[in-house]
Amino acid sequence: MPTLERLTRMLEFGLTAFPGTPPGVLTRTITSVLPVHPGDRHQARGNLTQTLAIVDLDDWASTDPAFDRLVSRTAGSGVAALAIVSTTGHAPAELVEALRHLHVPLLTLPASTSWADFTEAVTRERMADLHRGIEWRDWLLGQARPVPDGRHSGRIVRWLAARTGSRVALIGRDGALAAVAPQRSADKLTAVADKIQEIADGTLESAALEDGGTEIRLVAVGTSRPRAVLAVARESPFDHAFTRMIGRAADLLSLHLAVEDADTATDSYRATAIALCVAILQLLMVGEVSKARRTAASLFPGLLDQDAARVYILESRPGERDHLYDECQRSIGRHALIVQCPVYDEHLIIVVPQPPGAADADDRACTALRDLVALRPYRYLGASAIRPVAETDQAYRHALRALANARVDRSRTAHYRSQRRLPELLNEAYPGWATAVLHPLLGQRRAERDVLLQALNLTLQFSVRAAAELTGAHRNTVANRVRSAAAVLGVDLDSLRDRALTAVALEALLLDERADETVHVGPPDLQAYLDTPEVQAWKREFLHPLTEELVTTLKEWVLAGGDTARMADALGIHTQTARKRLRAATRLLQRDLLGQGADAYDVVLAIASEFNIPLPLPRWPDPH
């Protein structure tokens, strides 16, 4: 609302404060003008505390009773101020003294000024202020509504600075500068640091200070101690409207800081929960089931009490994973361990415990996950069979393989196919063969042997980086363990065939419940094992979907050690054509051959069996 000071700056009207008027009284708000004449029959009534009375002294007799009546009808009625018009330019001393006694400021107005125009100007200023007030109230109300980023404090500070022409700063509860506008305008804060601390501590609610001609207002934001503090500095005095605006902005900031604090606490809890879930998965992946249960007990009481579980891998776009994680938590969060995969940004790993005797069919979690997949065309779901919780790493590999199948399935979902696999066939035909292949490593001290086997197995299935992320070990540590394991076994892990042999032996060892870690006589003859009728039947079924051209392509691919360029040269075709054939084989076999990961190992051994391609033998000496 317009103040006396603001009206005196409207030079076209010539309103002037009488000499000796204290500057502080000029901050009084004026919302109306009241002309007072001696012949008025009725004295003005009502609340006149924001009214400027105007009188023409020439109309009033210069007698004591007349001035007494003038004072009574103006200052005595409670007006905010009195403006006089005098042809002499002087005010009677009696009138000046009476107004000073009643604390009513005196101003002068030229005789040439139209009272009607002046009254209209005051009304116009008042309406403009009302419109601005409505605008800033609407703006403040708009800031009370939630927005996607949830961060309003900086916007409110910038708006308040622009709206009041002031320098505004918000000091957070931690004492740091949370927001400032305009930029680099917090220079006055050092001078009032002590008062800011008193308000933050709760000793004061607010403070009005002056520093080198600059007016400063400090207001507490919120009630929780230590409190945030809103600081506003400007060269001109603060009127009632500005003070009220600062107060309302502080109230709104208090609400938003409370929301932001709650959001920060929620985000912190969420980040902690996500990290804890990753840690639990890492313990499960290395077979530390008891530790995983103890770790999970604080966040998911009883969740991992079952002895069996199914693992799902839900794939989506990397940018959607946080949203999808929240959807999964709402759907099945009470019944499953949901983990943001530390290796692949597009994967969620979901471990769903299964009750004793559970059928290897879709469960409630699977139904909910299928529904989530159906909502978006770029989502895929792979599920393992039910496995002991201690074999979570194997269940994860099976879910990953099922995910590869899901990518080429119309439903975009797939379960791991539990058909007979080569490691199982070899275990039945030649019990202990995997122990024979791996026995130099199995002969190490138990503690060292276990970490070497784990690092080697996960690296062959995924990569050094993935093994490190899944187990929580440093990448260099995993790489050193893998090199040590390869050296002990005498295998070359740069060779595709060496990797295939070692990976199949490791999987067979995990599947062989009769493995006794005894030293066998001499190295096994895997080439002879692949010629058995059972393996030959497996090979024919495995390669059945492929055309003769693709089988020949895969033969050269194995001989080239998985090098696509060398394979293309051997076949006399372009590299792009070679890649196209590998993609076709990938689709038909449901194995990822371009990535040269664990999916390739079955293919390598099937092709080796088909074309009698030599396989490496362990290069450890025969003990006999």
Side-chain angles (χ1 to χ4, degrees):
M1 292 299 167
T3 63
L4 287 172
E5 180 188 24
R6 186 162 141 200
L7 294 177
T8 61
R9 294 201 300 266
M10 299 171 68
L11 301 180
E12 65 271 28
F13 297 110
L15 183 66
T16 306
F18 197 79
T21 302
V25 299
L26 296 181
T27 60
R28 293 185 180 182
T29 299
I30 301 299
T31 59
S32 63
V33 175
L34 175 65
V36 180
H37 304 282
D40 292 341
R41 293 185 178 182
H42 303 288
Q43 184 171 342
R45 297 182 181 278
N47 187 356
L48 303 178
T49 56
Q50 294 184 344
T51 298
L52 172 63
I54 303 179
V55 299
D56 187 342
L57 289 184
D58 293 341
D59 294 340
W60 296 79
S62 57
T63 61
D64 288 344
F67 277 115
D68 287 344
R69 187 155 46 91
L70 171 59
V71 173
S72 173
R73 293 183 59 181
T74 55
S77 298
V79 297
L82 173 64
I84 61 173
V85 179
S86 172
T87 55
T88 64
H90 298 288
E94 297 86 349
L95 177 61
V96 174
E97 184 61 30
L99 294 177
R100 181 178 293 114
H101 179 72
L102 294 172
H103 304 289
V104 175
L106 178 63
L107 301 96
T108 62
L109 196 66
S112 59
T113 297
S114 167
W115 292 13
D117 291 346
F118 183 69
T119 301
E120 182 181 349
V122 171
T123 302
R124 188 170 57 247
E125 289 293 309
R126 178 190 176 195
M127 295 305 296
D129 282 352
L130 284 173
H131 284 300
R132 283 192 290 268
I134 291 171
E135 289 175 0
W136 73 258
R137 285 189 185 93
D138 287 344
W139 191 90
L140 287 176
L141 285 173
Q143 299 313 295
R145 302 184 184 99
V147 294
D149 63 4
R151 302 294 176 182
H152 286 275
S153 302
R155 296 177 60 192
I156 295 172
V157 166
R158 291 190 295 272
W159 172 86
L160 186 60
R163 183 70 182 80
T164 62
S166 308
R167 288 166 288 171
V168 183
L170 177 65
I171 299 92
R173 295 177 59 189
D174 58 356
L177 191 62
V180 62
Q183 290 295 324
R184 296 183 295 277
S185 61
D187 52 306
K188 291 292 183 181
L189 296 180
T190 304
V192 295
D194 291 342
K195 289 296 181 183
I196 290 175
Q197 188 60 49
E198 289 182 38
I199 293 174
D201 292 342
T203 305
L204 297 176
E205 289 297 320
S206 62
L209 308 166
E210 190 273 337
D211 180 58
T214 300
E215 298 287 334
I216 302 173
R217 295 291 184 272
L218 303 176
V219 182
V221 177
T223 57
S224 299
R225 301 178 186 179
R227 300 183 296 190
V229 179
L230 179 64
V232 183
R234 65 197 309 256
E235 272 60 47
S236 53
F238 288 86
D239 60 22
H240 178 70
F242 278 1
T243 302
R244 185 175 57 196
M245 188 184 302
I246 293 169
R248 291 186 176 177
D251 290 341
L252 186 59
L253 282 169
S254 175
L255 293 174
H256 281 302
L257 288 178
V259 172
E260 290 172 13
D261 286 347
D263 288 345
T264 300
T266 300
D267 291 344
S268 177
Y269 173 81
R270 174 191 172 93
T272 301
I274 289 173
L276 186 60
C277 288
V278 171
I280 295 169
L281 176 68
Q282 290 170 341
L283 289 171
L284 291 176
M285 291 292 286
V286 299
E288 297 283 0
V289 178
S290 297
K291 290 182 180 178
R293 284 171 175 160
R294 288 196 298 270
T295 305
S298 60
L299 196 62
F300 313 107
L303 178 63
L304 297 178
D305 287 352
Q306 302 294 345
D307 292 327
R310 189 197 303 272
V311 174
Y312 295 90
I313 299 177
L314 180 56
E315 181 177 274
S316 185
R317 293 173 177 171
E320 194 206 29
R321 185 167 73 168
D322 285 346
H323 172 68
L324 189 56
Y325 174 84
D326 292 336
E327 288 191 73
C328 288
Q329 286 288 359
R330 286 191 292 270
S331 299
I332 59 172
R334 297 179 59 187
H335 311 288
L337 176 68
I338 303 170
V339 184
Q340 293 193 1
C341 180
V343 181
Y344 304 108
D345 291 341
E346 63 272 22
H347 287 180
L348 289 177
I349 303 170
I350 300 129
V351 180
V352 183
Q354 302 290 323
D360 199 7
D362 288 356
D363 51 27
R364 178 171 57 180
C366 185
T367 302
L369 294 173
R370 282 178 178 271
D371 291 343
L372 290 176
V373 168
L375 293 175
R376 297 289 184 272
Y378 45 78
R379 292 177 180 174
Y380 303 92
L381 178 68
S384 73
I386 295 176
R387 303 292 302 178
V389 173
E391 298 178 9
T392 299
D393 59 335
Q394 186 175 346
Y396 171 75
R397 293 196 298 274
H398 292 173
L400 200 61
R401 184 160 292 167
L403 181 65
N405 297 341
R407 296 190 188 107
V408 295
D409 191 281
R410 287 187 176 182
S411 69
R412 289 179 281 115
T413 63
H415 278 71
Y416 174 70
R417 295 185 304 188
S418 58
Q419 74 271 25
R420 301 289 296 278
R421 301 187 64 244
L422 182 59
E424 298 170 348
L425 293 172
L426 291 175
N427 280 353
E428 289 183 4
Y430 303 97
W433 78 273
T435 304
V437 171
L438 301 171
H439 106 264
L441 189 55
L442 297 176
Q444 304 294 311
R445 295 194 312 272
R446 186 179 185 87
E448 182 179 359
R449 176 202 66 191
D450 289 347
V451 295
L452 293 180
L453 282 172
Q454 178 194 96
L456 181 61
N457 188 30
L458 289 175
T459 298
L460 288 172
Q461 296 295 327
F462 308 110
S463 66
V464 169
R465 171 180 170 271
E469 296 286 357
L470 288 170
T471 60
H474 193 277
R475 187 182 305 183
N476 291 342
T477 301
V478 173
N480 289 334
R481 290 172 179 172
V482 171
R483 282 194 293 269
S484 297
V488 170
L489 291 175
V491 295
D492 178 11
L493 295 184
D494 289 330
S495 163
L496 178 61
R497 278 178 273 176
D498 274 40
R499 293 201 306 274
L501 169 64
T502 307
V504 170
L506 285 168
E507 185 170 354
L509 182 69
L510 292 174
L511 293 173
D512 189 1
E513 297 178 355
R514 295 170 293 179
D516 54 8
E517 305 175 12
T518 57
V519 176
H520 286 64
V521 177
D525 185 0
L526 188 61
Q527 200 77 45
Y529 296 170
L530 294 180
D531 290 335
T532 60
E534 295 84 0
V535 174
Q536 290 296 310
W538 167 83
K539 173 202 66 178
R540 286 191 294 271
E541 181 184 359
F542 185 83
L543 298 178
H544 175 72
L546 300 178
T547 63
E548 183 177 349
E549 180 184 64
L550 290 179
V551 171
T552 302
T553 298
L554 291 180
K555 171 189 173 184
E556 297 301 332
W557 177 74
V558 170
L559 290 173
D563 188 309
T564 307
R566 286 172 51 199
M567 177 193 78
D569 288 342
L571 292 171
I573 59 177
H574 194 276
T575 303
Q576 293 299 326
T577 304
R579 288 183 176 277
K580 184 177 180 181
R581 291 186 185 180
L582 286 179
R583 282 193 290 270
T586 292
R587 184 176 65 256
L588 294 171
L589 294 177
Q590 297 184 352
R591 298 288 193 279
D592 180 10
L593 302 182
L594 291 172
Q596 290 194 32
D599 278 357
Y601 302 147
D602 282 348
V603 179
V604 170
L605 295 180
I607 292 295
S609 175
E610 175 71 11
F611 293 100
N612 199 29
I613 296 175
L615 289 171
L617 292 176
R619 287 178 284 277
W620 43 271
D622 187 333
H624 298 280

